[in-house]
Amino acid sequence: MANLPVIDMVKTGQNIGRLRKQVGLSVRDLQDIFGFATPQAIYKWQQGAALPTLDNLVVLAAVLQVRMDDILVITDPGARIQISA
């Protein structure tokens, strides 16, 4: 059986928080950009409890001025290496 890459949700969440701060946005700013009624989704992303949907990831990358690859932290369990920006 092949070892497939896996998204590290916690490290991806840490990336989202770090990148958000780098561009000077608050959680509330992202909440407004996405039109969310509450900030819970963004907090879940940052905590690694959930990942943005693909369409939200595309928007998030544009807002944070990075590529989607710069947000996601992918691990390859077979090689024990981390692929991230």
Side-chain angles (χ1 to χ4, degrees):
M1 176 162 263
N3 288 322
L4 300 174
V6 176
I7 296 173
D8 185 320
M9 291 177 60
V10 172
K11 290 183 180 176
T12 296
Q14 291 169 347
N15 267 353
I16 292 170
R18 179 181 53 79
L19 293 166
R20 174 185 59 76
K21 291 172 188 171
Q22 278 182 355
V23 296
L25 293 174
S26 68
V27 170
R28 175 62 192 240
D29 293 332
L30 286 183
Q31 176 187 340
D32 292 342
I33 288 167
F34 284 98
F36 296 156
T38 69
Q40 297 310 325
I42 294 151
Y43 285 122
K44 285 181 180 180
W45 298 347
Q46 291 185 159
Q47 295 165 354
L51 291 171
T53 59
L54 186 56
D55 55 335
N56 284 340
L57 186 61
V58 169
V59 172
L60 187 61
V63 168
L64 298 177
Q65 302 168 10
V66 297
R67 300 171 306 144
M68 288 189 294
D69 288 349
D70 296 328
I71 297 172
L72 298 173
V73 176
I74 311 285
T75 56
D76 180 349
R80 300 269 187 226
I81 60 168
Q82 178 177 328
I83 306 164
S84 68

